[in-house]
């Protein structure tokens, strides 16, 4: 005769939930548990004075009376109490399953279902009181998680005892299956206990806050706690994690980082702020990977981008000492690349960066046009524009990942500044003439083509190409 414990644990992986009770156990575990289960079974049968189980529910035999049904339920209730007390080894699975089966085929499914529910709920009420009495926070959290592990094992055993009930009564009457019913009861009775619910949530949020401040926490405990919340359901499709934890977590996250970002931007440069923002965004992504539900990834990322970037990007772009104007002037490729990368998901942010780039190109171009030293010699004039073009080409390619929009802004800026003064067309024609007459002597074919390509790029920016052509033919 198999014991309930041996049936429930046969082939069970270490630390995992109980395996199906229908799985055969080893002969050694069966024989060792038979003696303990037989004493429980015989004493129970004697106490309840059961008739033979074959007397009920079979053709040609009498129906089960109400008293007999009540006594058989009492036997099952006692069996469940043994499971809760971790004494399932004293039970015979075949006998316990048979009593549950007989109640169902004798139309006592409601008695069995309601009785099992009340039994589990009563046990969990005692569990909740025991957990709530823990004054130490670490002991409180450890007790809650230990009881959660025990409850999953217990409900797996009860589920296997009630297999026939679930299949032939619960489905027919559209009730919650026994295992899911047990999970729901753990949520409503334990997690939503008035002395557990808010305390548990506060402990999780407080540990996350401490980790953000640089303290070490037990991530395995956090992972188990959030996994428990993800596995439990308050409603049909909404996990407890979403209802009870994620919203408060996101609110606390916004409050923490709103304050930190505001303090940091007041005393640090734009590049330093962006380094901090990137670091914090990565930290939160790792937090999800380590111990939060994957569903938190998207809302947490959006929140972090809003708090660190969406609310501050204009200040970062237009900072007079370290904003985009300074970064363009100093060729801070790495800082501009980080800004472009982070701003790519912030609505309107890259438009501001490109606007500053256009203004910078216009400013530098106008400085060339207005400088008497640079306009005295056509070759010097064009070479300065070619150098300016090369500078911002590098920024667009290396910092802005060859963005189509960035190239468009660059072209628009050069078209604007080159067409403000008709001397640009004249100087460009004279520069080209100088190339053919002097500068390309001694150059290889590849070098000569590169020089011509550079001039052609500036030529394409001219709106009045007829002026260039007329001047070049003179």
């Amino acid at each position: 005769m198999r014991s309930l414990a041996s049936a429930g644990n046969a082939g069970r992986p270490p630390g995992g939930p109980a395996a199906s009770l229908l799985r055969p156990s080893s002969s050694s575990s069966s024989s060792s548990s038979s003696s303990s289960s037989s004493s429980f079974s015989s004493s129970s049968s004697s106490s309840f004075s059961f008739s033979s189980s074959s007397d009920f529910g079979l053709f040609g035999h009498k129906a089960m009376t109400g008293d007999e049904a009540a006594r058989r339920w009492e036997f099952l209730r006692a069996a469940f109490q043994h499971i809760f007390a971790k004494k399932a080894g004293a039970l015979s699975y075949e006998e316990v399953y048979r009593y549950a089966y007989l109640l169902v085929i004798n139309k006592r499914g409601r008695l069995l279902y309601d009785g099992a529910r009340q039994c589990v709920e009563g046990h969990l009420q005692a569990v909740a009181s025991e957990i709530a009495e823990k004054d130490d926070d670490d002991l409180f959290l450890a007790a809650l998680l230990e009881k959660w592990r025990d409850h999953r094992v217990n409900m797996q055993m009860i589920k296997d005892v009630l297999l026939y009930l679930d299949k032939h009564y619960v489905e027919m009457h559209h009730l919650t299956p026994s295992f899911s019913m047990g999970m729901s009861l753990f949520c409503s009775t334990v997690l939503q206990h008035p002395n557990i619910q808010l305390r548990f949530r506060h402990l999780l949020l407080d540990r996350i806050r401490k980790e953000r401040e640089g303290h070490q926490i037990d991530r395995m405990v956090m992972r188990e706690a959030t996994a428990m919340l993800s596995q439990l359901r308050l409603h049909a499709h909404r996990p407890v994690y979403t209802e009870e934890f994620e919203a408060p977590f996101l609110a606390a996250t916004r409050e923490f980082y709103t304050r930190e970002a505001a303090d940091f931007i007041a005393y640090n440069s734009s590049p330093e702020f962006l380094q901090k923002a990137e670091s914090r965004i990565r930290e939160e992504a790792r937090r999800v990977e380590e111990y939060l539900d994957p569903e938190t990834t998207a809302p947490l990322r959006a929140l972090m981008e809003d708090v660190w970037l969406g609310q501050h990007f204009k200040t970062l772009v237009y900072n007079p000492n370290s904003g985009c104007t300074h970064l363009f002037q100093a060729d801070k490729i790495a800082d501009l690349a980080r800004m472009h990368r982070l701003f790519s998901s912030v609505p309107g942010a890259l438009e501001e960066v490109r606007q500053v780039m256009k203004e910078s190109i216009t400013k530098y171009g106008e400085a060339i046009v207005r400088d008497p030293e640079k306009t005295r010699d056509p070759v010097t004039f064009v070479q300065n524009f070619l150098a300016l073009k090369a500078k911002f080409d590098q920024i667009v390619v290396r910092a802005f990942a060859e963005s189509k929009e960035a190239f468009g802004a660059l072209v628009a800026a050069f078209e604007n500044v080159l067409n403000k003064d008709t001397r640009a067309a004249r100087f460009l024609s004279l520069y080209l003439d100088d190339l053919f007459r002097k500068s390309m002597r001694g150059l290889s074919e590849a070098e000569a083509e590169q020089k011509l390509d550079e001039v052609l790029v500036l030529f394409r920016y001219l709106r009045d190409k007829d002026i260039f052509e007329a001047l070049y033919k003179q």
Side-chain angles (χ1 to χ4, degrees), residues 84 115-125 151 155 158 182 185:
F84 298 146
R117 179 183 177 87
Q118 292 168 9
C119 192
V120 172
E121 186 173 21
H123 167 70
L124 290 177
Q125 287 171 348
H151 182 67
M155 287 311 304
I158 291 173
L185 285 174

Side-chain angles (χ1 to χ4, degrees), residues 168-407:
H168 297 280
Y169 181 83
V170 169
E171 286 187 7
M172 183 184 302
H173 292 81
H174 307 291
L175 299 173
T176 303
S178 57
F179 187 85
S180 298
M181 175 263 290
M183 297 298 103
S184 178
L185 285 174
F186 188 90
C187 176
S188 60
T189 307
V190 178
L191 285 186
Q192 293 188 319
H193 187 280
N195 295 328
I196 293 177
Q197 183 178 25
L198 294 180
R199 184 182 178 188
F200 177 50
R201 181 196 302 166
H202 173 75
L203 285 176
L204 297 184
L205 296 179
D206 188 59
R207 277 161 170 72
I208 293 172
R209 177 188 59 78
K210 288 180 178 178
E211 187 176 42
R212 286 169 175 160
E213 293 174 348
H215 301 284
Q216 294 291 325
I217 66 170
D218 191 333
R219 289 190 165 193
M220 292 186 65
V221 169
M222 295 294 293
R223 187 183 305 121
E224 185 177 6
T226 56
M228 173 183 69
L229 295 175
S230 296
Q231 292 170 32
L232 293 171
R233 295 289 188 273
L234 277 174
H235 308 295
H237 303 292
R238 297 281 289 179
V240 176
Y241 178 94
T242 303
E243 298 279 348
E244 295 287 323
F245 175 76
E246 187 178 67
F249 163 75
L250 292 174
T253 300
R254 180 174 290 278
E255 180 182 357
F256 181 90
Y257 284 123
T258 295
R259 182 172 57 252
E260 182 177 81
D263 291 342
F264 200 85
I265 200 170
Y267 300 102
N268 293 274
S269 67
S270 292
E272 289 169 336
F273 182 91
L274 289 172
Q275 289 176 16
K276 182 71 171 180
E278 187 173 46
S279 174
R280 282 304 205 181
I281 290 171
R282 286 176 177 171
E283 283 179 26
E284 293 304 314
R286 286 196 298 270
R287 198 180 317 285
V288 175
E289 293 174 358
E290 288 287 340
Y291 57 78
L292 297 180
D293 191 289
E295 293 296 322
T296 302
T297 300
L300 180 58
R301 174 80 186 194
L303 183 153
M304 293 295 290
E305 289 175 349
D306 177 59
V307 168
W308 281 98
L309 306 173
Q311 297 181 22
H312 299 287
F313 72 84
K314 288 190 177 181
T315 302
L316 297 170
V317 169
Y318 294 104
N319 187 310
N321 299 315
S322 60
C324 283
T325 299
H326 166 75
L327 298 179
F328 287 132
Q329 180 180 2
D331 291 325
K332 297 291 186 178
I333 299 296
D335 292 330
L336 286 168
R338 181 180 295 105
M339 179 178 285
H340 185 271
R341 183 170 60 251
L342 292 175
F343 283 3
S344 62
S345 56
V346 180
L350 288 182
E351 286 84 343
E352 298 290 339
V353 175
R354 291 193 289 267
Q355 180 60 34
V356 175
M357 184 178 74
K358 290 168 66 176
E359 292 172 358
S360 296
I361 292 172
T362 300
K363 174 185 174 182
Y364 297 141
E366 289 178 346
I368 295 172
V369 172
R370 293 171 183 169
D371 189 339
E373 293 296 325
K374 294 176 181 176
T375 55
R376 184 177 302 166
D377 177 22
V379 173
T380 303
F381 177 89
V382 174
Q383 286 177 341
N384 274 276
F385 265 102
L386 289 174
L388 181 62
K389 175 68 166 50
K391 170 188 176 74
F392 280 92
D393 277 346
Q394 285 297 303
I395 290 173
V396 170
V397 171
R398 296 172 58 197
F400 296 164
E402 301 184 73
S403 161
K404 179 181 177 181
E405 293 78 9
F407 269 123

Side-chain angles (χ1 to χ4, degrees), residues 24-35:
S25 60
S26 64
S27 58
S28 60
S29 63
S30 297
S31 60
S32 64
S33 62
S34 294
S35 59

Side-chain angles (χ1 to χ4, degrees), residues 420-439:
K420 281 186 174 181
D421 194 323
T422 56
R423 288 180 300 175
R426 182 165 63 88
F427 286 168
L428 195 57
S429 67
L430 293 172
Y431 177 80
L432 187 60
D433 183 67
D434 181 77
L435 278 180
F436 284 118
R437 292 177 183 273
K438 302 176 184 178
S439 300

Side-chain angles (χ1 to χ4, degrees), residues 54-69:
S54 62
D55 290 343
F56 304 108
L58 301 177
F59 293 111
H61 293 272
K62 64 181 180 179
M64 183 182 291
T65 66
D67 288 343
E68 289 286 355

Side-chain angles (χ1 to χ4, degrees), residues 37-138:
S37 64
S38 62
S39 63
F40 175 81
S41 300
S42 61
S43 63
S44 299
S45 299
S46 173
S47 173
F48 297 140
S49 302
F50 289 157
S51 302
S52 170
S53 61
S54 62
D55 290 343
F56 304 108
L58 301 177
F59 293 111
H61 293 272
K62 64 181 180 179
M64 183 182 291
T65 66
D67 288 343
E68 289 286 355
R71 285 196 293 271
R72 288 186 180 276
W73 159 244
E74 283 301 315
F75 175 84
L76 289 170
R77 186 187 62 77
F80 292 161
Q81 294 300 329
H82 272 64
I83 292 174
F84 298 146
K86 300 184 179 180
K87 297 179 180 178
L91 302 172
S92 161
Y93 168 66
E94 286 84 355
E95 187 171 17
V96 176
Y97 177 87
R98 185 169 64 250
Y99 289 164
Y101 163 79
L102 287 172
L103 285 174
V104 176
I105 65 172
N106 280 277
K107 300 182 180 180
R108 307 291 178 169
R110 194 75 205 191
L111 170 67
L112 178 57
Y113 185 84
D114 290 345
R117 179 183 177 87
Q118 292 168 9
C119 192
V120 172
E121 186 173 21
H123 167 70
L124 290 177
Q125 287 171 348
V127 165
S129 297
E130 180 183 345
I131 295 170
E133 290 174 357
K134 304 291 184 183
D135 293 328
D136 181 83
D137 288 340
D138 290 334

